[in-house]
Amino acid sequence: MHEELSTLKNQALAGLAEATDAGALEAWRIKYLSRKGGALSEAMKVLGGLPREERPAYGQAANEVKIALEAAFEERQEALKAAALAAELGGGALDVTLPGRPPALGRLHITTQSLRQIYAIYAEMGFQVYDAPDVETDDYNFGWLNIPPYHPARDMWETFWVTQATAGATTEGSPLLVMRTHTSPGQIRVMRERCPEPIRVILPGKCYRYEQVTARSEHQFYQLEGLAVGRGIRLTDLIGTLQQFARRMYGARRRLRVRGSYFPFTEPSIEADMDCILCGGKGCGVCKHTGWLEVAGAGMVHPIVLHNGGYDPDVYSGFAFGMGVERPAMLKYMINDIRYFYGNDLRFLGQFG
Ligand code: PHE
């Protein structure tokens, strides 16, 4: 009878010698020592079926086997751990002098960098930054800027219209909403807030147009609006401001040129160009062989717009301009595709700053 126990013990010890890793060791433990279904607890069950007088001896023997196997298991476990550690140390694969991997640091988006550069230049000229919303009513984006419904000038801005899908609400009677197509609606907001104080602000922000995306135009892009309102503000103040901007941004020798243009919210309206920063006016690929690069659309604030902002056009005058924000960065770094700005490709974004 005790023979069975010693066979079990020998078998178990032989199996243990063959376990060479943690997985095999655990499998062995379950097979022999597990309280449920382990070989040893099975052997203990025999006890009840034995004649009374044989029980104590059998029980004692089984217990001795159990203690022996548990000790052997622990010893084996220690030995395997020690061997693994020795292998790791002996391998010499761990070079503690290796420099650590630097954590990836975030940086400012190139558009943000461009914006901050522009803010700094206008701050020197006394302009404050004013924030206006991205989603506007039709009135702010068009109507109060002297672009009534069905005015042909609306075609200048391909528009994303916003449906008002608030649960349970009807759109009837509520104002038409648009994603602002330009930063000009902010003009009305500042004027209504500040009237009758004089104003000198810039309004940066994202604009949205329902347009084909190409290397030269995105359906979302930044604009920066400028607005000055007060007594005796003249076209020459506007031109001087834009010229100063071009020189601070692109170099002291930049020349500015002004062309007549049309915007419904300015009168007169102009387009300001500067001589090409690459060829200085001789003509090259960057300026499309014209020698000039567009800086801003601008003009004197239209009397109707002044009036809509609360200012009496007989007393006050003002100028406004709108310029691109990605464009200066594109010129500075010779980036020829605006789609990179919003493509979220870290290989591109990581190059700036
Ligand atoms: N809002 C005009 C545009 O998006 C630019 C502009 C701004 C023109 C202010 C004149 C005055 O094209």
Side-chain angles (χ1 to χ4, degrees):
M1 190 61 76
H2 295 189
E3 227 172 88
E4 277 174 40
L5 284 174
S6 65
T7 312
L8 175 62
K9 182 179 170 189
N10 291 338
Q11 241 178 32
L13 290 177
L16 191 60
E18 277 164 27
T20 50
D21 59 41
L25 201 63
E26 178 62 7
W28 181 91
R29 191 191 64 76
I30 291 167
K31 184 173 173 191
Y32 291 101
L33 295 180
S34 165
R35 239 169 269 164
K36 268 194 194 162
L40 211 63
S41 48
E42 291 301 311
M44 284 294 202
K45 285 184 189 162
V46 175
L47 201 66
L50 289 179
R52 242 178 185 286
E53 62 278 14
E54 285 180 25
R55 286 183 199 170
Y58 184 88
Q60 198 185 349
N63 213 31
E64 277 164 16
V65 172
K66 185 179 171 226
I67 290 167
L69 288 187
E70 275 171 358
F73 171 79
E74 253 162 56
E75 197 182 312
R76 185 74 182 140
Q77 195 172 39
E78 286 308 312
L80 284 181
K81 265 192 209 159
L85 184 64
E88 202 174 297
L89 292 176
L94 189 68
D95 180 357
V96 294
T97 68
L98 218 59
R101 287 190 194 127
L105 289 181
R107 58 186 88 201
L108 294 179
H109 191 280
I110 181 173
T111 306
T112 308
Q113 293 180 37
S114 186
L115 276 168
R116 291 191 179 181
Q117 222 176 337
I118 300 171
Y119 295 164
I121 294 172
Y122 282 112
E124 286 177 355
M125 292 191 267
F127 287 81
Q128 298 176 312
V129 173
Y130 189 97
D131 252 333
D134 285 36
V135 181
E136 277 291 12
T137 64
D138 182 271
D139 286 333
Y140 275 103
N141 197 80
F142 294 120
W144 291 324
L145 291 172
N146 197 28
I147 320 170
Y150 310 111
H151 192 290
R154 287 202 174 205
D155 287 352
M156 291 167 75
W157 299 276
E158 301 291 342
T159 308
F160 282 115
W161 297 90
V162 178
T163 53
Q164 294 160 74
T166 318
T170 64
T171 53
E172 225 167 298
S174 54
L176 278 174
L177 294 184
V178 304
M179 301 302 289
R180 67 171 163 205
T181 59
H182 51 176
T183 44
S184 301
Q187 289 187 29
I188 303 287
R189 292 188 177 272
V190 192
M191 284 193 271
R192 289 189 176 180
E193 189 187 293
R194 300 275 170 92
C195 185
E197 301 290 320
I199 294 171
R200 204 185 288 184
V201 294
I202 48 175
L203 304 107
K206 213 174 224 182
C207 301
Y208 308 82
R209 291 193 193 166
Y210 184 48
E211 275 180 338
Q212 177 83 35
V213 174
T214 69
R216 292 182 60 80
S217 67
E218 255 288 4
H219 57 246
Q220 50 171 353
F221 55 94
Y222 272 83
Q223 259 191 2
L224 185 119
E225 191 90 1
L227 176 70
V229 177
R231 291 170 195 258
I233 292 180
R234 300 183 297 185
L235 187 64
T236 44
D237 297 317
L238 168 61
I239 295 171
T241 302
L242 292 177
Q243 184 168 63
Q244 175 69 1
F245 171 77
R247 290 181 176 169
R248 296 284 284 108
M249 190 79 184
Y250 299 103
R253 287 168 51 205
R254 289 277 78 83
R255 284 177 295 138
L256 201 79
R257 135 184 129 165
V258 164
R259 289 176 285 125
S261 186
Y262 174 74
F263 299 101
F265 33 89
T266 46
E267 179 58 37
S269 300
I270 61 167
E271 208 99 35
D273 306 328
M274 62 177 179
D275 57 334
C276 177
I277 58 167
L278 195 69
C279 65
K282 286 191 211 79
C284 69
V286 170
C287 59
K288 286 195 253 135
H289 304 282
T290 61
W292 296 95
L293 295 168
E294 208 181 294
V295 174
M300 299 307 289
V301 181
H302 196 288
I304 290 178
V305 176
L306 279 174
H307 175 80
N308 288 339
Y311 289 83
D312 179 353
D314 289 333
V315 179
Y316 296 95
S317 60
F319 68 70
F321 58 84
M323 55 200 296
V325 173
E326 290 89 355
R327 180 119 165 101
M330 291 175 81
L331 286 172
K332 181 172 171 191
Y333 296 110
M334 291 293 157
I335 301 161
N336 55 17
D337 194 326
I338 193 173
R339 288 171 293 193
Y340 286 128
F341 283 72
Y342 305 106
N344 285 337
D345 187 337
L346 290 178
R347 291 170 301 176
F348 172 76
L349 297 174
Q351 291 178 46
F352 309 100

